[in-house]
């Protein structure tokens, strides 16, 4: 089809608002995928994703659609819905001219949806509001339309009412994509610039790169270079996603495709990087590329020490397969996949952020591993990363969410009512307080109704100390954590079988109590001099301690466990 008949679009939606269901219906209606070959929800193709309802992998699909007797080519680029992927989302959006904004009309706009709409507006995308689930008895499309107008400032007079489930409004959506979204610019004559929006590792062909050609033309066999990594390859195979891979000889400006070039490492072809020709290079890479800067680390140990080589292998493969490995909120998914797919039994340590330690001698040391923290005498101050979080919540849960944020050393920034019933609350808090279970807590304290979005604000000094865990007098380095002074409540009790602190423990330190009971079961004597009471550390502690003790030392060898802090 001519470039004027190409439309590139993505779907912005909060988790569960119906993105996958709608995408499936679009594929069906355009005959791209036959109903019988359609597995349940084509775009979420990992079992684990489907079970957890989280879309991790970005995918793309090309559809043929006839509008007023003319053939059109509609490229759908999927975006991940989870709060951790805003960079990946922004790159997918940058590959499109338009977006469907899908909102569950029995719910309303959520924080991540809002953030993604702003990203889309920054990228000059045409946004088509779609009010989904109108078949539900509780659907209020006009209220939700008004909410979108008020909150986002988007004209909703021509919002499409739809039920992805019942197949209502699907043709209207396809028509609107053709009518309202502009075609790509015809820049096929310029030097090649293609934007990478996703990649994955294929065991036989190496890294498969998904991209949108912004300018120029890519031919099969061309020598190409990835501008950020400065790695060059021959594009042995190029093609389109229909949605399965279909080889072609050429891809022009405006088109979406994939390439395979025996690339061994995903690091060579990062999301957001620009592909150009090796000899006819563009002098300007596409804007928006960001180096991945991991800010959170987590230790991972096989319970059986003999499984170390297998773990290393599995991790390498998984990393090549899944950019989400770096996403800490998905740590438990990574662990589960490793356990399920590679038959490993693993222990993870509490996630740790990267601290900056200002030393007495004037040096600044980056510290991602608490056990590598310089000695107290050598350090002048410790800085930790802070994030700004914005929570959107029905007004009933404002109290519990403020309490949660305050508990996590949050500093209140502002609160706005976006509608009569829903508020936006902004806090600044240490990233260390957000990793782990903050998101789960937000969900449980708001009965699932609140949503959040966060961004990094910078490093700030905090009063931090290191908590060591000693077993048999030996420091177990992987168990060391860095905690805030105010969060450490000094406890002194020696456990024998009839301690009298039971009441206190039961009320406030339930988890520690359980830990100790479990430790007693293993016939251990425990002296606890101090402890951090934050749930996630205690949980990790419970989990790890028992595992470490039993697997590493054998229960009979351990005669004391002793915790202290400096
Ligand atoms: P996603 O997380 O945005 O991809 O959402 P899904 O497409 O997985 O849908 C979440 C849930 O909402 C599923 O149980 C769907 O069956 C359901 N759902 C999606 N669209 C509709 C709709 O139009 N009406 C109703 N009643 N349910 C829907
Ligand atoms: Mg989905």
């Amino acid at each position: 089809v001519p470039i004027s008949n190409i439309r590139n679009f993505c779907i912005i939606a909060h988790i569960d608002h119906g993105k996958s269901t709608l995408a499936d219906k679009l594929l069906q209606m355009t005959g791209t995928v036959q109903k019988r070959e359609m597995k349940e929800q084509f775009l979420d193709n990992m079992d684990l994703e489907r079970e957890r309802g989280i879309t991790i992998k970005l995918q793309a699909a090309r559809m043929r659609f006839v509008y007023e007797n003319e053939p059109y080519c509609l490229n759908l680029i999927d975006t991940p819905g989870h709060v951790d992927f805003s960079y990946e989302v922004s790159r997918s959006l940058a590959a499109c001219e338009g977006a469907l904004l899908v909102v569950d009309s029995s719910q309303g706009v959520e924080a991540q949806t809002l953030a993604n709409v702003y990203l889309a507006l920054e990228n000059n995308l045409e946004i088509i509001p779609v009010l989904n689930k109108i078949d539900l008895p509780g659907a209020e499309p006009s209220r939700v339309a008004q909410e979108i107008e008020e909150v986002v400032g988007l004209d909703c007079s021509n919002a499409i009412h739809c039920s992805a489930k019942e197949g209502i409004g699907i043709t209207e959506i396809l028509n609107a994509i053709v009518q309202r979204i502009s075609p790509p610019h015809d820049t096929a004559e310029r030097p090649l610039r293609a934007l990478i929006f996703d990649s994955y590792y294929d065991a036989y062909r190496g890294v498969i790169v998904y991209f949108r050609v912004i300018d120029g033309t890519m031919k099969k066999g061309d020598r190409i270079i990835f501008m950020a990594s400065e790695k060059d390859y021959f594009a042995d195979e190029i093609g389109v996603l229909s949605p399965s891979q279909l080889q072609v000889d050429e891809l022009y400006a405006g088109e979406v495709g994939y390439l395979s070039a025996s690339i061994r490492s995903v690091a060579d072809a990062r999301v957001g990087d620009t592909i150009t020709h090796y000899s006819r290079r563009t002098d300007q890479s596409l804007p928006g590329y960001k180096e991945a800067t991991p800010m959170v680390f987590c230790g991972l140990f096989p319970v059986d020490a003999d499984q170390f080589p297998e773990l290393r292998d599995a991790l390498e493969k998984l990393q090549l397969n899944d950019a989400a490995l770096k996403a800490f909120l998905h740590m438990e998914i990574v662990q589960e996949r490793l356990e399920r797919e590679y038959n490993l039994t693993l222990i993870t340590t509490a996630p740790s952020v990267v601290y900056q330690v200002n030393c007495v001698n004037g040096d600044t040391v980056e510290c991602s591993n608490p056990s590598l923290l310089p000695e107290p005498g050598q350090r002048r101050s410790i800085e930790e990363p802070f994030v700004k979080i914005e929570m959107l919540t029905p007004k009933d849960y404002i109290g519990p969410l403020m309490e949660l944020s305050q508990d996590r050393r949050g500093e209140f920034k502002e609160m706005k009512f976006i509608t009569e019933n829903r508020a936006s609350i902004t806090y600044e808090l240490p990233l260390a307080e957000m990793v782990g279970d903050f998101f789960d807590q937000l969900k449980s304290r708001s009965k699932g109704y609140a949503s959040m979005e966060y961004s990094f604000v910078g490093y700030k000094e905090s009063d931090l100390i290191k908590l060591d865990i000693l077993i048999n007098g030996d420091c177990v380095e992987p168990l060391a954590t860095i905690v805030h002074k105010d969060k450490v409540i000094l406890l002194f009790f020696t456990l024998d079988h009839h301690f009298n602190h039971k009441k206190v423990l039961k009320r406030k330190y339930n988890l520690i109590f359980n830990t100790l009971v479990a430790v007693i079961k293993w016939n251990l004597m425990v002296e606890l001099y101090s402890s951090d009471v934050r749930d996630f550390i205690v949980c990790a502690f419970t989990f790890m301690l028992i595992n470490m003790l039993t697997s590493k030392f054998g229960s009979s060898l351990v005669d004391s466990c002793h915790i202290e802090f400096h």
Side-chain angles (χ1 to χ4, degrees), residues 43-109:
L43 285 173
D44 300 345
N45 61 3
M46 258 170 48
D47 288 351
L48 205 60
E49 286 182 29
R50 221 171 285 144
E51 272 167 41
R52 295 192 178 240
I54 298 174
T55 306
I56 298 172
K57 209 76 198 88
L58 294 158
Q59 302 274 331
R62 190 186 64 166
M63 296 172 253
R64 299 262 169 217
F65 177 62
V66 178
Y67 176 78
E68 293 184 341
N69 294 323
E70 279 215 44
Y72 283 81
C73 167
L74 314 182
N75 290 308
L76 165 61
I77 294 174
D78 195 20
T79 53
H82 202 275
V83 56
D84 264 9
F85 296 97
S86 60
Y87 173 66
E88 280 81 359
V89 172
S90 81
R91 296 306 82 206
S92 297
L93 295 177
C96 298
E97 278 77 25
L100 303 178
L101 166 60
V102 176
V103 181
D104 183 337
S105 58
S106 67
Q107 308 276 334
V109 190

Side-chain angles (χ1 to χ4, degrees), residues 14 16-21 41 132-133 135-136 163-165:
H14 188 70
D16 272 354
H17 283 206
K19 182 176 69 171
S20 304
T21 312
Q41 297 197 335
N132 191 30
K133 306 200 188 182
D135 60 296
L136 288 177
S163 165
K165 195 171 168 189

Side-chain angles (χ1 to χ4, degrees), residues 337-382:
R337 284 193 61 189
L338 286 168
E339 297 195 330
R340 245 194 239 194
E341 294 170 28
Y342 301 94
N343 282 320
L344 298 163
T345 313
L346 301 169
I347 306 165
T348 51
T349 62
S352 167
V353 301
V354 182
Y355 296 93
Q356 282 180 1
V357 186
N358 300 313
C359 298
V360 177
N361 67 7
D363 289 354
T364 301
V365 183
E366 287 216 336
C367 180
S368 59
N369 182 343
S371 63
L372 301 177
L373 193 71
E375 291 304 309
Q378 289 170 20
R379 54 185 203 239
R380 210 178 55 227
S381 61
I382 305 179

Side-chain angles (χ1 to χ4, degrees), residues 375-426:
E375 291 304 309
Q378 289 170 20
R379 54 185 203 239
R380 210 178 55 227
S381 61
I382 305 179
E383 293 180 27
E384 62 178 332
F386 276 72
V387 289
K388 190 178 92 182
I389 59 168
E390 186 187 358
M391 299 171 279
L392 284 193
T393 177
K395 67 171 188 279
D396 295 354
Y397 307 110
I398 293 173
L401 293 188
M402 290 181 81
E403 209 173 284
L404 169 67
S405 311
Q406 239 109 39
D407 270 3
R408 302 301 173 93
R409 295 194 275 142
E411 188 189 319
F412 177 78
K413 287 291 170 194
E414 75 168 334
M415 179 162 86
K416 297 186 291 229
F417 275 86
I418 51 172
T419 63
E420 201 180 307
N421 253 311
R422 282 155 57 79
S424 143
I425 317 168
T426 309

Side-chain angles (χ1 to χ4, degrees), residues 250-495:
E250 269 177 311
L251 286 166
Y252 299 94
E255 292 193 292
V256 173
Y258 75 92
L259 74 85
S260 137
S262 307
I263 303 165
R264 301 313 318 168
S265 164
V266 275
D268 293 356
R270 285 237 158 86
V271 168
D273 199 355
T274 305
I275 312 170
T276 189
H277 278 127
Y278 187 79
S279 42
R280 192 187 171 211
R281 260 178 234 202
T282 171
D283 44 21
Q284 211 166 24
S285 55
L286 295 160
Y289 175 74
K290 266 197 229 152
E291 280 299 336
T293 46
M295 281 189 289
V296 180
F297 288 81
C298 174
L300 207 53
F301 302 88
V303 165
D304 176 357
D306 293 343
Q307 287 189 327
F308 254 116
E310 274 131 295
L311 172 63
R312 194 181 314 116
D313 253 30
L315 271 176
E316 265 165 26
K317 284 189 192 136
L318 198 61
Q319 163 117 56
L320 290 168
N321 258 318
D322 191 354
L325 183 58
K326 61 178 192 272
F328 54 88
L329 287 180
H330 297 289
M331 198 52 225
E332 86 269 29
I333 293 193
V334 171
Q335 181 172 0
E336 205 169 313
R337 284 193 61 189
L338 286 168
E339 297 195 330
R340 245 194 239 194
E341 294 170 28
Y342 301 94
N343 282 320
L344 298 163
T345 313
L346 301 169
I347 306 165
T348 51
T349 62
S352 167
V353 301
V354 182
Y355 296 93
Q356 282 180 1
V357 186
N358 300 313
C359 298
V360 177
N361 67 7
D363 289 354
T364 301
V365 183
E366 287 216 336
C367 180
S368 59
N369 182 343
S371 63
L372 301 177
L373 193 71
E375 291 304 309
Q378 289 170 20
R379 54 185 203 239
R380 210 178 55 227
S381 61
I382 305 179
E383 293 180 27
E384 62 178 332
F386 276 72
V387 289
K388 190 178 92 182
I389 59 168
E390 186 187 358
M391 299 171 279
L392 284 193
T393 177
K395 67 171 188 279
D396 295 354
Y397 307 110
I398 293 173
L401 293 188
M402 290 181 81
E403 209 173 284
L404 169 67
S405 311
Q406 239 109 39
D407 270 3
R408 302 301 173 93
R409 295 194 275 142
E411 188 189 319
F412 177 78
K413 287 291 170 194
E414 75 168 334
M415 179 162 86
K416 297 186 291 229
F417 275 86
I418 51 172
T419 63
E420 201 180 307
N421 253 311
R422 282 155 57 79
S424 143
I425 317 168
T426 309
Y427 270 87
E428 216 170 275
L429 50 78
L431 178 61
E433 299 282 347
M434 200 195 72
V435 302
D437 71 340
F438 189 90
F439 187 66
D440 293 344
Q441 281 292 328
L442 172 109
K443 284 290 173 197
S444 79
R445 293 188 192 197
S446 66
K447 303 211 164 61
Y449 284 110
S451 56
M452 67 174 264
E453 168 69 19
Y454 71 88
S455 56
F456 177 63
V457 288
Y459 273 82
K460 287 184 194 174
E461 191 175 322
S462 287
D463 217 348
L464 300 166
I465 52 167
K466 181 180 166 201
L467 179 79
D468 275 331
I469 295 186
L470 285 78
I471 295 178
N472 282 347
D474 293 332
C475 188
V476 183
E477 293 290 357
L479 296 185
T481 49
I482 292 173
V483 294
H484 192 265
K485 251 192 184 137
D486 290 350
K487 290 282 184 146
V488 179
I489 292 183
L490 268 175
L491 280 179
F492 182 88
F493 56 92
T494 304
L495 273 184

